[in-house]
Amino acid sequence: MSDFDPNLPIYIQINNSIKQAIVSGILKPGERLASVRERAEELAVNPNTVQRAYQELEREGISETRRGMGTYIVEHESLISSLKAEMAHDLLRKYIDGMQALGFSSGDITAELSGELAKPNGLSTGGKR
Amino acid sequence: MSDFDPNLPIYIQINNSIKQAIVSGILKPGERLASVRERAEELAVNPNTVQRAYQELEREGISETRRGMGTYIVEHESLISSLKAEMAHDLLRKYIDGMQALGFSSGDITAELSGELAKPNGLSTGGKR
Amino acid sequence: MSDFDPNLPIYIQINNSIKQAIVSGILKPGERLASVRERAEELAVNPNTVQRAYQELEREGISETRRGMGTYIVEHESLISSLKAEMAHDLLRKYIDGMQALGFSSGDITAELSGELAKPNGLSTGGKR
Amino acid sequence: MSDFDPNLPIYIQINNSIKQAIVSGILKPGERLASVRERAEELAVNPNTVQRAYQELEREGISETRRGMGTYIVEHESLISSLKAEMAHDLLRKYIDGMQALGFSSGDITAELSGELAKPNGLSTGGKR
DNA sequence: GTGGTCTAGACCACA
DNA sequence: GTGGTCTAGACCACA
């Protein structure tokens, strides 16, 4: 999984994937993130890049660094759930606004979604960009 | 309207907004785009940046330039409609994939959309990024 | 025939086509060229562009302007034949040098030519760019 | 070697020379190109101009860039050979079409080539444009 | 160091 | 006026 969108900074894409993992429960509050070096190797990316993603995460209050011990996801339960709501709302608005800019009505927007979800493999097409 | 997302190249954002305008009918096939210099001034951006957006557009077969006369949207009607389908599908997949990465089920995804569209001002919140 | 190579100035392409016409006998020494306006209309090009092509032609000693009468091909017979030799040599060197730069041997270069000329429609493929 | 044909965009000439180098085996698949800045200095040209040449190359599927590491020739062996065929055919058609436009017969065309190749220095006259 | 984007501004071919 | 190319040089993300 080292194919990044070249039009978006990689550190932002890494940061995002971590937030997704937290919100979806793959990473739990209090858990330790992979070390910068481990993660960099996995992603075939320079450690500086992972480092920057972790910094952003900390700035957002989602992780915290413990000297010599690594980076941990914050325990703050409500923060996680509000994060989920915020990210979902962001995705939703991007979808709705984008469709409306293309001239789709509310009915169209709902119909397109239903149609796509009804597809046999509706759950796993393409890649997230 | 000169606020660009700092995480995405400006020329891509300009290119995108033109495609939206075409698909939504604001710009019609055969019509002339604003000149590079005009548009650059409007957007408070360097002419080179607008030109790059126009170049991409031409590479995508959406516009054509007539020497000394300006840049025109191609007449090819079917191209416009396939462009609309492609852009809509892109938005849709980004929404679905994003939601699924957050752990939402198909039901949740539909419910969230309906809820948002039902809001009184459901048609014009936030900004398109 | 108004498809010009966008990477070469149009006036040079017009100038070239006139020289070809002279050398191939389509235009004869002493003959009058089409007026700037006529030619511009035929080529769907701005008169200034044709004008510039004619200027170049005169600079090369191939045509001369007679006030109020138009542009005429020079009578100088030897000039025409030397023009033919020069243009042919130019084409030839471009071909040979290009092929050699690609790593072809003299044998290859001859073989490729023979092969192409032996094709059924070997005399009229593609367009001159 | 910084003399460019003023009638052809410099970035196209640079792009061309790289393709020639690849096809003739001077540059091999997988190899790294000189950096934009290095090449710009060598050619006494602005870095932006070299970059544009590299971009075109990438668009043509001939090179790929690795973030922060440089630009590399693609490994795709067949692409190289088809590139060679395409460039040779282009040169050939330009020669044949040009000669025919001058009124030369197929016999003449072949004869001229043989004559030139038979010259003592037939392998290295003039400059490649 | 390496490529990507952007600005500021010049000059050219063409209309 | 209109797009195309080019220079000079800045700043950014990434290695």
Side-chain angles (χ1 to χ4, degrees):
Chain A
M1 200 208 276
S2 67
D3 58 322
F4 292 102
D5 181 342
N7 292 320
L8 213 57
I10 292 177
Y11 76 88
I12 289 179
Q13 298 180 58
I14 294 174
N15 173 296
N16 233 310
S17 72
I18 296 170
K19 288 195 278 191
Q20 284 178 341
I22 293 170
V23 158
S24 70
I26 293 170
L27 281 172
K28 298 195 192 340
E31 265 184 22
R32 186 176 172 281
L33 295 177
S35 81
V36 166
R37 282 176 194 159
E38 273 169 24
R39 200 81 190 104
E41 187 143 2
E42 273 175 40
L43 297 173
V45 134
N46 189 286
N48 292 336
T49 305
V50 175
Q51 177 66 32
R52 174 130 187 216
Y54 281 17
Q55 271 172 17
E56 287 291 313
L57 216 57
E58 186 155 10
R59 271 208 324 106
E60 298 177 87
I62 291 165
S63 66
E64 57 189 22
T65 302
R66 300 187 199 145
R67 292 278 187 110
M69 302 201 53
T71 304
Y72 292 79
I73 301 167
V74 119
E75 301 269 7
H76 223 307
E77 180 62 51
S78 81
L79 186 142
I80 305 305
S81 78
S82 72
L83 181 61
K84 177 170 183 171
E86 181 200 313
M87 292 179 78
H89 190 255
D90 247 46
L91 287 166
L92 187 50
R93 285 313 323 171
K94 242 174 243 172
Y95 175 52
I96 295 177
D97 294 341
M99 292 297 274
Q100 288 176 344
L102 295 181
F104 287 90
S105 70
S106 295
D108 296 334
I109 294 173
T110 306
E112 291 280 333
L113 176 64
S114 304
E116 185 75 12
L117 288 175
K119 281 190 189 169
N121 64 341
L123 294 176
S124 57
T125 301
K128 56 195 134 172
R129 290 241 143 168
Chain B
M1 200 210 276
S2 66
D3 59 322
F4 292 104
D5 181 342
N7 293 320
L8 213 56
I10 294 175
Y11 75 87
I12 289 181
Q13 297 180 58
I14 295 173
N15 174 299
N16 261 325
S17 72
I18 295 170
K19 287 195 278 193
Q20 284 179 342
I22 292 170
V23 158
S24 69
I26 294 170
L27 282 172
K28 297 193 193 341
E31 266 185 22
R32 186 175 171 283
L33 295 179
S35 85
V36 167
R37 287 164 172 90
E38 271 170 26
R39 201 80 188 106
E41 186 143 4
E42 273 174 40
L43 297 174
V45 132
N46 188 283
N48 288 335
T49 303
V50 174
Q51 217 209 352
R52 177 141 187 208
Y54 281 17
Q55 268 174 17
E56 289 290 314
L57 216 58
E58 183 156 17
R59 275 210 317 108
E60 298 177 81
I62 292 166
S63 67
E64 58 188 20
T65 116
R66 300 185 200 147
R67 289 176 93 126
M69 303 205 53
T71 304
Y72 294 78
I73 300 168
V74 117
E75 300 268 6
H76 220 307
E77 180 62 51
S78 82
L79 187 144
I80 304 305
S81 78
S82 73
L83 181 63
K84 178 169 181 170
E86 178 197 316
M87 292 180 77
H89 189 255
D90 247 48
L91 286 165
L92 187 49
R93 285 309 328 169
K94 239 173 248 172
Y95 175 51
I96 294 177
D97 293 342
M99 292 297 275
Q100 287 175 344
L102 295 181
F104 287 88
S105 71
S106 294
D108 296 335
I109 294 173
T110 307
E112 291 281 332
L113 176 63
S114 304
E116 186 75 11
L117 289 173
K119 282 189 191 168
N121 65 340
L123 295 174
S124 57
T125 302
K128 56 195 132 178
R129 290 243 146 161
Chain C
M1 201 209 275
S2 67
D3 58 324
F4 292 103
D5 182 342
N7 292 320
L8 213 58
I10 292 177
Y11 76 88
I12 290 180
Q13 298 180 58
I14 295 174
N15 172 295
N16 233 311
S17 72
I18 295 170
K19 288 194 280 190
Q20 285 178 339
I22 293 170
V23 159
S24 69
I26 294 170
L27 282 172
K28 296 193 191 347
E31 265 185 22
R32 186 177 171 279
L33 294 178
S35 81
V36 166
R37 281 177 195 159
E38 273 169 24
R39 201 78 190 107
E41 188 143 4
E42 273 175 41
L43 298 173
V45 134
N46 190 286
N48 293 336
T49 305
V50 174
Q51 177 66 32
R52 175 130 189 218
Y54 281 17
Q55 271 172 17
E56 286 292 312
L57 215 59
E58 186 155 10
R59 271 207 326 106
E60 298 176 86
I62 291 165
S63 67
E64 57 189 22
T65 302
R66 301 189 196 144
R67 291 280 189 107
M69 300 200 55
T71 304
Y72 293 78
I73 301 167
V74 119
E75 301 268 6
H76 222 309
E77 179 62 51
S78 81
L79 186 142
I80 305 305
S81 79
S82 73
L83 181 62
K84 177 169 182 171
E86 180 200 314
M87 291 180 77
H89 189 256
D90 247 46
L91 286 166
L92 186 49
R93 286 308 330 167
K94 241 174 246 174
Y95 175 51
I96 294 177
D97 293 341
M99 292 296 275
Q100 287 175 345
L102 295 181
F104 286 90
S105 70
S106 294
D108 295 335
I109 294 173
T110 307
E112 291 280 331
L113 176 64
S114 305
E116 185 75 11
L117 288 174
K119 281 189 189 168
N121 64 341
L123 295 176
S124 58
T125 302
K128 57 194 133 173
R129 291 241 145 167
Chain D
M1 201 210 274
S2 67
D3 58 323
F4 292 104
D5 181 341
N7 292 321
L8 213 56
I10 293 174
Y11 76 86
I12 289 182
Q13 298 180 58
I14 295 174
N15 174 299
N16 262 324
S17 71
I18 295 169
K19 287 195 278 192
Q20 284 179 342
I22 292 170
V23 158
S24 69
I26 294 171
L27 282 172
K28 297 194 191 341
E31 265 184 23
R32 187 174 171 284
L33 296 178
S35 85
V36 167
R37 287 165 172 92
E38 272 169 26
R39 200 82 189 103
E41 186 144 4
E42 273 174 42
L43 298 173
V45 131
N46 189 283
N48 287 336
T49 302
V50 174
Q51 217 209 350
R52 177 142 186 206
Y54 281 17
Q55 267 173 17
E56 288 291 315
L57 216 58
E58 182 157 16
R59 275 210 318 107
E60 298 176 81
I62 292 167
S63 67
E64 58 188 21
T65 116
R66 300 184 199 148
R67 289 176 93 126
M69 303 205 53
T71 304
Y72 294 78
I73 300 168
V74 118
E75 301 268 6
H76 219 307
E77 180 62 51
S78 83
L79 188 144
I80 305 306
S81 78
S82 74
L83 181 63
K84 177 169 182 172
E86 179 198 316
M87 293 179 77
H89 189 254
D90 248 47
L91 286 166
L92 186 50
R93 284 312 324 171
K94 239 173 248 173
Y95 175 51
I96 294 177
D97 293 342
M99 292 298 273
Q100 288 175 344
L102 294 180
F104 286 90
S105 70
S106 294
D108 295 336
I109 294 173
T110 307
E112 291 280 332
L113 176 64
S114 303
E116 186 75 11
L117 288 175
K119 281 190 191 170
N121 64 341
L123 295 175
S124 57
T125 301
K128 55 195 131 172
R129 293 234 149 165

